[in-house]
């Protein structure tokens, strides 16, 4: 009597959701193939610290093969998922960086965690002039541009030209935008204050442009107000109620809501406003005739599966989840959401292999955190509202806890401690390697 064939599981995406699914399934009676465009798991909530020189890439990324080196039933494949044949149960692949990849791999169950990317609201040409910090590659490009601005200001003789180099426009007042703006302000007013001779970095301007009437709209208004006051103490100017209508090499144009357009000279623009789902979501919607919204998110059932295809799970920023009433709902684009969905998909599959049912997915909101700067943060944890040093300490502990790799946790803790004591940043490097980075589409999610 022959051995029964093990269930074949393919997981697309090594971000928060995909990684959690793989970790939960590695003890299951299944062959698991984890497909990702990169060979590492990225702790995306801290990419902005790479962009501002606080951390190095290796401290917030961990090799996927190292995570599963003891799990012989888990295979890591560096490739790009391009299509799925729902009838043949095959995932189509393309090579990445010249590494050979099979044209397709079969599956019994596929879990797609494609994530999202920033949206330029129909103006993709702005991406040439506005850096973002969603992927490791883009964070390095942002670091290059931010540090280069100070170097250029040092050499600039024209006062107006120097002011343009020393003006940093951050678009988007959500957690990422607030954190980037705060870090750039600390970099200019603290870390670099004595590094230059012809220019004083402390004279620079950091502008946070937000279309709403307050920053951190996902937080209670009281915490938003505290966050804004903390930003102002750092020297960040919040331009609220302004919509960006143009971005080019020398600045941004904003609409103040009354039809008046203001031109802001700023040679460095960081984009942190709005997201659109991975193209994999549109592909799945087309293949299954599932509903797709304006942000490119595909609607999945209460069990996170595609309509009519229980063997296909989709999760993370690329989906909307139908509730008991059948209405698709958008969950927050946070790391805990993707992680809970990844664990749910794995548990649902394990139960299915045992012939059992599982209840519909239910997101348990554990709260929200955002750091503004040194010893300044806000936290909304199940109704408990914290700000200042206590919130900042909570933020540190939570991010250290979820950072993958014990070595990375120790190194990041030491680096943060050293930076807190010395006000220094050891990764203020402009390297040629930064310029070759490519924009990625990682699975999103914030801590």
């Amino acid at each position: 009597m022959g051995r029964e064939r093990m269930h074949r599981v393919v997981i697309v995406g090594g971000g928060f959701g995909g990684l959690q699914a793989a970790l939960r399934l590695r003890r299951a009676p299944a062959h698991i193939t984890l497909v990702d465009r990169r060979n590492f798991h990225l702790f995306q909530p801290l990419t902005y610290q790479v962009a501002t020189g606080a951390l190095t890439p290796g401290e917030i990324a961990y090799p996927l093969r190292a995570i599963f080196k003891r799990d012989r039933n888990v295979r890591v494949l560096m490739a790009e998922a391009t299509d799925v044949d729902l009838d043949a149960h095959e995932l189509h692949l393309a090579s990445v960086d010249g590494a050979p990849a099979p044209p397709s791999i079969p599956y019994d169950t596929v879990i797609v965690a494609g994530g999202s990317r920033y949206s330029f609201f129909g103006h993709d040409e702005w991406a040439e002039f506005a850096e973002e910090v969603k992927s490791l590659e883009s964070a390095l490009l942002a670091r290059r541009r931010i540090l280069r601005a100070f170097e250029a200001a040092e050499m600039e003789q024209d006062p107006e030209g120097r002011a343009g180099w020393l003006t940093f426009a951050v678009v988007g007042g959500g957690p990422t935008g607030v954190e980037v703006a705060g870090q750039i302000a600390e970099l200019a007013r603290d870390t670099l204050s004595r590094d230059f001779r012809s220019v004083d970095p402390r004279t620079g301007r950091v502008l946070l442009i937000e279309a709403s009437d307050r920053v951190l709209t996902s937080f209670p208004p009281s915490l938003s107000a505290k966050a804004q006051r903390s930003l102002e103490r750092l020297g960040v100017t919040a331009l609220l109620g302004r919509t960006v209508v143009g971005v080019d090499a020398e600045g941004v144009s904003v609409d103040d809501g009354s039809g008046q357009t203001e031109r802001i000279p700023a040679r460095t623009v960081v984009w942190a406003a709005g997201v659109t789902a991975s193209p994999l979501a549109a592909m799945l919607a087309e293949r299954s005739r599932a509903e797709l919204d304006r942000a490119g998110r595909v609607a999945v059932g209460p069990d996170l599966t595609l309509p009519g295809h229980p063997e296909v799970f989709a999760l993370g920023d690329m989906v909307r989840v139908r509730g008991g009433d059948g209405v698709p709902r958008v969950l927050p684009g946070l790391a805990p959401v993707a992680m809970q969905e990844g664990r749910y998909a794995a548990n649902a599959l394990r139960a299915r292999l045992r012939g059992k049912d599982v209840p519909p997915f239910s997101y348990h909101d554990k709260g929200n955190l955002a750091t503004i700067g040194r010893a300044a943060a806000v936290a909304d944890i199940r109704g408990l509202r914290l700000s200042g040093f206590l919130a900042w300490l909570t933020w540190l502990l939570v991010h250290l806890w979820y950072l993958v790799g014990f070595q990375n946790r120790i190194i990041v803790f030491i680096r943060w401690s050293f930076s807190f004591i010395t006000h220094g940043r050891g990764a203020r490097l402009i390297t040629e390697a930064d310029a070759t980075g490519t924009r990625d589409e990682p699975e999103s999610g914030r801590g």
Side-chain angles (χ1 to χ4, degrees):
M1 186 173 181
R3 294 181 60 186
E4 183 179 355
R5 180 177 63 85
M6 293 183 70
H7 196 82
R8 298 168 301 181
V9 182
V10 176
I11 300 174
V12 180
F16 289 107
L19 180 63
Q20 287 299 313
L23 289 172
R24 284 294 176 97
L25 287 171
R26 59 182 173 175
R27 299 290 183 264
H31 284 302
I32 302 162
T33 302
L34 178 58
V35 179
D36 197 283
R37 295 177 58 194
R38 300 292 180 260
N39 72 335
F40 56 83
H41 166 76
L42 175 66
F43 192 74
Q44 192 267 334
L46 293 181
T47 51
Y48 78 94
Q49 295 213 357
V50 172
T52 52
L55 296 174
T56 63
E59 293 163 355
I60 66 168
Y62 202 82
L64 289 169
R65 295 185 186 279
I67 297 174
F68 299 103
K69 62 184 178 181
R70 293 183 176 88
D71 302 303
R72 305 305 298 175
N73 65 322
V74 179
R75 178 192 183 197
V76 176
L77 185 60
M78 194 176 84
E80 182 174 7
T82 58
D83 203 350
V84 61
D85 188 330
L86 297 178
D87 295 326
H89 287 200
E90 286 187 344
L91 182 73
H92 294 245
L93 304 174
S95 64
V96 173
D97 293 336
S104 65
I105 52 176
Y107 65 82
D108 297 309
T109 297
V110 61
I111 301 174
V112 184
S116 64
R117 58 183 176 178
Y118 279 117
S119 169
F120 290 88
F121 307 117
H123 295 276
D124 290 343
E125 69 274 12
W126 295 352
E128 179 182 354
F129 311 107
E131 297 297 343
E132 43 95 354
V133 295
K134 201 169 183 62
S135 70
L136 191 58
E137 293 85 354
S138 62
L140 290 170
L141 288 170
R143 184 180 75 179
R144 177 182 178 87
R145 181 167 292 190
I146 291 169
L147 295 176
R148 186 186 62 185
F150 291 104
E151 298 292 340
E154 173 80 354
M155 303 301 295
E156 180 65 62
Q157 301 299 317
D158 177 57
E160 290 187 3
R162 176 176 291 179
W165 283 114
L166 289 178
T167 300
F168 302 85
V170 181
V171 183
T176 299
V178 166
E179 290 167 350
V180 170
Q183 288 283 301
I184 294 176
E186 285 194 339
L187 180 67
R189 288 160 176 74
D190 198 352
T191 307
L192 301 180
S193 60
R194 298 182 180 181
D195 284 14
F196 296 88
R197 300 296 175 262
S198 299
V199 66
D200 184 357
R202 292 173 296 183
T203 63
R205 301 172 66 207
V206 181
L207 309 177
L208 181 60
I209 305 171
E210 168 58 39
S212 301
D213 59 355
R214 62 186 178 97
V215 299
L216 298 178
T217 55
S218 60
F219 286 74
S222 61
L223 291 180
S224 294
K226 291 180 179 179
Q228 185 172 340
R229 288 195 293 269
S230 295
L231 287 169
E232 291 170 351
R233 283 194 292 269
L234 286 172
V236 177
T237 301
L239 302 180
L240 304 178
R242 266 91 159 183
T243 303
V244 173
V245 295
V247 183
D248 57 41
E250 297 185 352
V252 297
S253 299
V254 298
D255 187 331
D256 62 4
S258 64
Q260 298 294 321
T261 300
E262 177 185 3
R263 173 70 178 174
I264 302 175
R267 298 298 293 266
T268 305
V269 180
V270 179
W271 193 270
V275 295
T276 185
S278 163
L280 290 175
M283 180 271 295
L284 289 176
E286 181 180 355
R287 300 292 180 267
S288 64
R289 297 185 179 180
E291 183 180 339
L292 200 71
D293 70 1
R294 295 179 60 184
R297 292 177 290 243
V298 61
V300 296
D303 60 353
L304 304 184
T305 62
L306 282 183
H309 293 276
E311 76 284 359
V312 181
F313 291 88
L315 49 90
D317 290 355
M318 59 178 282
V319 305
R320 292 183 300 158
V321 183
R322 294 189 186 277
D325 56 2
V327 178
R329 291 180 173 82
V330 178
L331 295 173
L334 304 173
V337 175
M339 294 172 71
Q340 290 182 33
E341 289 179 342
R343 288 193 291 264
Y344 172 88
N347 291 337
L349 177 55
R350 291 179 67 126
R352 186 184 297 172
L353 294 176
R354 296 192 300 266
K356 299 181 179 180
D357 295 326
V358 293
F361 173 75
S362 177
Y363 169 57
H364 300 286
D365 189 356
K366 297 182 178 180
N368 209 353
L369 301 164
T371 182
I372 294 97
R374 180 184 176 87
V378 291
D380 180 21
I381 305 174
R382 295 185 176 180
L384 179 62
R385 299 174 183 178
L386 305 174
S387 62
F389 180 79
L390 186 57
W392 180 73
L393 185 61
T394 303
W395 181 93
L396 291 179
L397 294 174
V398 168
H399 283 70
L400 283 173
W401 175 261
Y402 284 109
L403 192 62
V404 174
F406 179 76
Q407 176 179 292
N408 281 9
R409 293 172 186 164
I410 296 299
I411 293 175
V412 169
F413 175 75
I414 293 173
R415 187 177 289 276
W416 279 346
S417 300
F418 187 78
S419 297
F420 185 81
I421 295 171
T422 65
H423 298 243
R425 294 168 186 261
R428 305 194 313 269
L429 308 177
I430 301 175
T431 64
E432 286 300 320
D434 296 351
T436 63
T438 57
R439 286 181 171 84
D440 201 358
E441 292 175 5
E443 180 184 328
S444 180
R446 298 184 41 82

